[in-house]
């Protein structure tokens, strides 16, 4: 076990502060702030199989500013302003993100279904060298909930430590994604080299966990 994602839809904006206060006894270091953008697109092409109608785009500034695209069993890991090779002919050649391309040149194929954003999230290093990232998420309709990203989990006990704190806060319902998620053997990697780059497998897994709790 390495990463996990927890989403508390029943939270209020103040739940983040309450959760952070409970972590104080385990706190080793306060690190950088972070942000997140999660977009879902639905295809406008009628003859697509139903399981392939959704495309997910997750932008992780705190993970080398990379964006992960996932559609069914296909996945792309893209750097800033990087476009997949098979979409280069749609690009203007100027610096643009994949989401900008989807909203302009590919808007006849993919319609944006929802956008979830979080800004000024907090990063905490706690006992056991576990990195805890907490952030309030917002959608077009307003506050969405509290998201907790956990990294460097060494065992199920490390995850239970966090969920126990939520139980202590009387949070009765929350989603947890901690399974292995999307492994390299389960996904066709589509990038300039058509190979799995170092570190990308962990990012695929994390992106899959985000999808599991936010969809």
């Amino acid at each position: 076990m390495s990463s996990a994602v927890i989403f508390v839809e029943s939270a209020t904006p103040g739940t983040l502060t309450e959760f952070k206060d409970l972590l104080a006894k385990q706190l080793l270091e306060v690190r950088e702030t972070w942000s997140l953008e999660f977009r879902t697109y639905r295809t406008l092409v009628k003859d697509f199989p139903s399981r392939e109608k959704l495309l997910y785009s997750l932008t992780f500034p705190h993970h080398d500013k990379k964006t992960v695209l996932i559609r069914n069993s296909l996945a792309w890991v893209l750097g800033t302003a990087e476009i997949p090779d098979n979409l280069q002919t749609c690009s203007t050649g100027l610096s643009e993100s994949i989401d900008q391309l989807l909203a302009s040149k590919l808007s006849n194929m993919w319609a944006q279904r929802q956008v979830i954003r979080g800004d000024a999230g907090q990063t905490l290093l706690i006992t056991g060298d576990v990195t805890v990232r907490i952030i309030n998420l917002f959608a077009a309709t307003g506050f969405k909930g509290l998201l907790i990203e956990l990294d460097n989990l060494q065992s199920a006990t490390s995850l239970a430590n966090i969920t126990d704190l939520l139980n202590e806060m009387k949070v009765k319902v929350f989603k947890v994604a901690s399974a292995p998620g999307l492994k390299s053997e389960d996904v066709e990697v589509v990038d300039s080299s058509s190979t799995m780059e170092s570190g990308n497998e962990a990012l695929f897994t994390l992106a899959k966990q985000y999808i599991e709790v936010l969809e």
Side-chain angles (χ1 to χ4, degrees):
M1 181 181 296
S2 181
S3 68
V5 177
I6 302 172
F7 181 60
V8 186
E9 190 170 9
S10 61
T12 67
T15 303
L16 185 151
T17 301
E18 184 181 355
F19 179 75
K20 182 182 175 182
D21 289 344
L22 285 178
L23 275 177
K25 292 181 180 179
Q26 305 178 44
L27 183 62
L28 299 178
E29 183 181 350
V30 177
R31 295 185 171 177
E32 73 284 350
T33 59
W34 64 292
S35 60
L36 168 73
E37 189 170 274
F38 174 82
R39 295 174 184 263
T40 306
Y41 299 89
R42 180 178 291 276
T43 183
L44 299 176
V45 180
K46 294 183 179 180
D47 58 353
F48 264 35
S50 59
R51 68 180 185 278
E52 297 182 5
K53 288 186 178 295
L54 296 180
L55 172 69
Y56 301 98
S57 171
L58 298 96
T59 300
F60 297 112
H62 58 297
H63 290 294
D64 297 325
K65 299 181 179 180
K66 290 185 176 180
T67 295
V68 181
L69 289 182
I70 294 179
R71 179 173 69 84
N72 198 27
S73 60
L74 293 176
W76 296 258
V77 174
L78 306 169
T80 304
E82 184 179 0
I83 304 298
D85 286 349
N86 60 334
L87 295 180
Q88 288 292 340
T89 55
C90 302
S91 175
T92 61
L94 302 175
S95 179
E96 60 184 338
S97 69
I98 184 62
D99 289 304
Q100 290 172 325
L101 184 62
L102 287 166
S104 56
K105 294 295 185 66
L106 298 177
S107 60
N108 62 325
M109 295 180 61
W110 294 99
Q112 186 170 277
R113 180 185 172 204
Q114 72 168 344
V115 183
I116 298 174
R117 291 189 178 93
D119 292 300
Q122 300 187 41
T123 304
L124 311 172
L125 182 67
I126 65 170
T127 305
D129 287 332
V130 175
T131 299
V132 181
R133 296 184 176 93
I134 49 179
I135 196 167
N136 283 329
L137 297 182
F138 295 84
T141 53
F143 180 69
K144 186 75 173 175
L146 171 68
L147 185 132
I148 304 168
E149 178 189 312
L150 305 173
D151 194 19
N152 198 35
L153 291 170
Q154 300 301 318
S155 66
T157 303
S158 300
L159 176 58
N161 172 47
I162 300 300
T163 57
D164 285 348
L165 292 179
L166 292 174
N167 290 327
E168 186 176 338
M169 293 167 58
K170 308 301 182 184
V171 176
K172 296 181 179 180
V173 180
F174 50 87
K175 295 180 180 179
V176 181
S178 60
L182 198 61
K183 293 185 176 180
S184 58
E185 61 265 28
D186 299 326
V187 67
E188 179 182 349
V189 182
V190 184
D191 61 17
S192 57
S193 61
S194 296
T195 59
M196 176 70 76
E197 296 181 4
S198 176
N200 280 356
E201 183 175 352
L203 202 55
F204 288 145
T205 299
L206 182 63
K208 183 65 174 178
Q209 290 169 347
Y210 268 85
I211 293 170
E212 288 178 17
V213 300
L214 292 178
E215 272 291 273

